[in-house]
Amino acid sequence: MNTKKYMTQSFLSLALMFGGVAFTSCTDDIMGGKPVDEGAYESVTRVEGMLLDVKSNKNESVLELRGDKVETELNFRLTKAPGKGVDVKIEVDPTYLATYNEEHNTEFEIFPVENVTIDREGKLLLAPDEMRSAKVGVTLKAGEKMEADKTYLLPLTVTSTTEGVTLSEKASHAVYMVKDLRSQGDTFKGEDAVKTVLYFEVNDTNPLNALEFVLKDSGKLFFDEVILFSANINYNTDEGRVYVFNNPNVQFLLDNNEEFLQPLRKRGMKVILGILGNHDAAGVAQLSDMGAREFAKELAAYCKAYNLDGVGFDDEYSSWPDVNNPWFTMASGKAASRLLYETKCAMPDKTVMVYYLNAIYDNTIEAVEGIRPGEFVDYAVADYGGTARPMDGMTLKQCSGMSIELNRGSGNSSEEFARSKRKEGYGYYMFFALGHTNSLVNNFVSYRSQVGRCQSVCRGLYDEELLMPEYYYKKNDATRYKLPN
């Protein structure tokens, strides 16, 4: 897979497209009567167009189909005022499916074309002084033959009959990856609701316990995403490659994921595989460009094989790398950026999230191939007790307002603080180590104290009560047990 080509084409940067044109002075004498090569001025006079999703500001986005239909909006943009009226038409382009799949090494099926409606038949007219069209609504209706928990591709294209408007193949397309989540509605608390992220210490706790946290009035599940903490990044000296290593507890959950992980997904939670260093030269912030590409491919294969929703990176517990090894480079934010970028390349419809620590922070993750971090990192959470700041290209909707460690008791879990972070526009809240062995198996008083902290946050985020769980799951056991009074 040509990942460089993919990202350059898939996430076209507005800075590249709409930025100013730089000029340099020429020291050669001007020769009178010499013909002028006007080719150098084409970029100044040319009017280029691009089709973009309004909300994401990208030409490639994910849509979640949770009911009978999902709606989005597009607009058409120009690099400069055209000086004359511009006619454009937006329509579905089924032929682009094969091109997309070939370029990105994917196997998406087309979203049912007959179930797509474009407002005004997709026809637009831009005035001579307009650089951005009106918004065009697009409605996608669920199809009877669509499969639950499957992602479909909807390629849209824009054409113009107006002379002088240039449209490259990629800029003229907007691609939607449409996830059919109609059977997974138990977590969805609204488009703008804060999402709760729960790190499970899987060496000690059964992830099924997340199912017991239910809001009183709406009946929605409290937790939106579960992160399995943690698989590892390691180096195999015999085979000479970096690979995913799983301890027995992680491997048990993956091997038995229909019993322990898919029940979460069927209720609407995302299940994310955590990736953590493991005391050798491999690390999430010290892979070479080649190493990042190869490891990203393995991560994508894991998510596909075990039906997971993405990966989360935590830069800890790695030793210094041997930079003479082609898999490695010096630890840096630049190297971490490359791995995050390559991971998004390898699985564009999956989640790529980070935990801020060591080489991974808002001010260390940088653009790769001209693509800003906010376009290849879905969201970030802070270390215990912290609030995550946005990376370049991110908004607060992609950041956690607070990170709470439940086993140790750190982090602000007050109702007032949670409500303030919701009002400020933060999109996530993180919890770590719920139901650790000491609290869930040996001391239910401590467990109820942890739940109490979640209840306080719940009131602040959702203005709703969180019920006290009545049941729990023992480690590596899918049986539901009654909690003692």
Side-chain angles (χ1 to χ4, degrees):
M1 167 180 158
N2 190 334
T3 52
K4 180 176 179 180
K5 177 180 180 183
Y6 160 60
M7 286 299 289
T8 302
Q9 292 182 340
S10 293
F11 299 117
L12 291 176
S13 172
L14 291 178
L16 294 177
M17 179 174 176
F18 295 109
V21 180
F23 295 91
T24 57
S25 62
C26 179
T27 58
D28 294 337
D29 293 336
I30 298 176
M31 302 296 292
K34 184 177 180 180
V36 176
D37 180 8
E38 296 184 359
Y41 303 99
E42 283 188 7
S43 61
V44 180
T45 60
R46 186 170 60 235
V47 180
E48 298 179 348
M50 173 181 273
L51 187 63
L52 292 170
D53 178 75
V54 172
K55 184 176 181 179
S56 69
N57 205 35
K58 302 176 185 177
N59 66 351
E60 185 166 325
S61 307
V62 175
L63 290 177
E64 295 183 346
L65 181 64
R66 294 184 176 274
D68 294 336
K69 64 181 180 180
V70 61
E71 298 176 329
T72 189
E73 291 179 314
L74 293 161
N75 62 20
F76 180 69
R77 305 184 194 181
L78 296 169
T79 53
K80 60 179 295 184
K84 57 182 175 181
V86 175
D87 288 293
V88 296
K89 184 175 183 180
I90 302 169
E91 54 193 335
V92 180
D93 183 9
T95 63
Y96 195 65
L97 175 69
T99 301
Y100 185 95
N101 279 334
E102 182 178 356
E103 288 181 352
H104 307 139
N105 195 30
T106 51
E107 298 177 346
F108 291 119
E109 294 181 16
I110 194 79
F111 185 86
V113 177
E114 64 275 13
N115 292 10
V116 180
T117 303
I118 304 175
D119 289 354
R120 299 192 295 275
E121 298 181 335
K123 297 177 182 179
L124 291 168
L125 175 63
L126 279 74
D129 60 347
E130 282 187 319
M131 295 174 59
R132 178 179 302 193
S133 76
K135 299 176 183 178
V136 181
V138 180
T139 302
L140 288 67
K141 294 184 179 179
E144 294 181 359
K145 296 183 179 180
M146 292 178 62
E147 298 178 29
D149 196 27
K150 185 172 182 177
T151 302
Y152 296 84
L153 200 76
L154 175 63
L156 300 176
T157 187
V158 62
T159 55
S160 176
T161 58
T162 304
E163 185 177 356
V165 176
T166 302
L167 289 166
S168 69
E169 181 181 53
K170 195 64 187 179
S172 66
H173 284 90
V175 175
Y176 289 102
M177 286 164 281
V178 187
K179 295 188 174 183
D180 187 352
L181 303 179
R182 287 176 292 165
S183 63
Q184 302 181 7
D186 287 348
T187 63
F188 187 65
K189 295 178 279 290
E191 186 68 30
D192 296 323
V194 178
K195 294 181 179 179
T196 52
V197 182
L198 173 60
Y199 276 82
F200 265 117
E201 288 267 18
V202 297
N203 290 349
D204 302 290
T205 316
N206 189 331
L208 290 176
N209 283 295
L211 296 174
E212 299 303 318
F213 286 70
V214 181
L215 275 61
K216 180 180 179 180
D217 297 326
S218 66
K220 298 293 185 180
L221 295 177
F222 178 60
F223 295 111
D224 295 277
E225 304 195 11
V226 164
I227 298 177
L228 308 178
F229 193 78
S230 183
N232 298 109
I233 178 173
N234 275 107
Y235 182 68
N236 187 316
T237 55
D238 294 332
E239 298 182 10
R241 69 179 185 90
V242 172
Y243 71 108
V244 176
F245 170 78
N246 300 313
N247 70 23
N249 298 295
V250 175
Q251 193 61 53
F252 175 86
L253 293 175
L254 295 177
D255 289 342
N256 298 277
N257 86 93
E258 287 298 328
E259 287 183 273
F260 293 93
L261 303 181
Q262 296 312 310
L264 304 179
R265 299 190 69 253
K266 291 174 182 177
R267 296 286 298 277
M269 293 184 197
K270 287 185 178 181
V271 178
I272 309 295
L273 184 65
I275 300 295
L276 178 71
N278 195 26
H279 308 287
D280 73 1
V284 300
Q286 54 202 53
L287 296 182
S288 65
D289 288 0
M290 179 278 292
R293 282 192 295 272
E294 294 304 311
F295 188 60
K297 291 177 184 177
E298 179 156 332
L299 292 174
Y302 256 81
C303 288
K304 182 177 181 180
Y306 294 107
N307 199 14
L308 304 176
D309 295 290
V311 294
F313 294 98
D314 183 358
D315 182 28
E316 295 186 82
Y317 305 117
S318 296
S319 58
W320 290 107
D322 176 7
V323 296
N324 294 314
N325 187 316
W327 282 84
F328 304 133
T329 188
M330 291 301 296
S332 66
K334 181 178 180 180
S337 303
R338 173 61 69 169
L339 177 58
L340 299 173
Y341 166 89
E342 296 292 353
T343 303
K344 197 63 175 180
C345 289
M347 47 183 192
D349 59 326
K350 301 290 187 181
T351 295
V352 176
M353 62 80 63
V354 297
Y355 185 111
Y356 279 166
L357 201 64
N358 294 325
I360 299 181
Y361 268 102
D362 61 294
N363 59 354
T364 60
I365 301 303
E366 57 190 53
V368 180
E369 308 290 350
I371 309 304
R372 298 189 298 172
E375 297 179 75
F376 55 80
V377 177
D378 292 289
Y379 68 91
V381 301
D383 197 12
Y384 306 149
T387 295
R389 298 180 298 270
M391 300 179 190
D392 182 27
M394 269 189 176
T395 67
L396 291 181
K397 290 293 290 183
Q398 294 170 270
C399 298
S400 65
M402 177 50 55
S403 293
I404 299 167
E405 212 287 357
L406 292 167
N407 187 51
R408 299 177 182 176
S410 60
N412 191 327
S413 59
S414 74
E415 176 182 340
E416 294 75 16
F417 189 81
R419 185 170 286 111
S420 71
K421 290 302 177 182
R422 181 188 73 182
K423 291 180 179 178
E424 288 175 31
Y426 285 88
Y428 289 85
Y429 236 73
M430 188 270 267
F431 299 84
F432 197 99
L434 173 70
H436 191 276
T437 299
N438 294 334
S439 62
L440 185 54
V441 177
N442 301 323
N443 186 350
F444 285 107
V445 173
S446 175
Y447 183 60
R448 292 179 186 278
S449 175
Q450 292 185 359
V451 176
R453 299 188 72 196
C454 294
Q455 289 175 318
S456 178
V457 171
C458 182
R459 289 190 292 271
L461 296 183
Y462 308 121
D463 297 318
E464 191 172 347
E465 291 295 329
L466 174 64
L467 296 173
M468 179 63 67
E470 297 182 11
Y471 297 87
Y472 77 105
Y473 295 86
K474 299 177 182 178
K475 185 174 177 293
N476 296 352
D477 185 348
T479 306
R480 200 169 179 235
Y481 294 93
K482 183 76 174 178
L483 275 168
N485 295 324

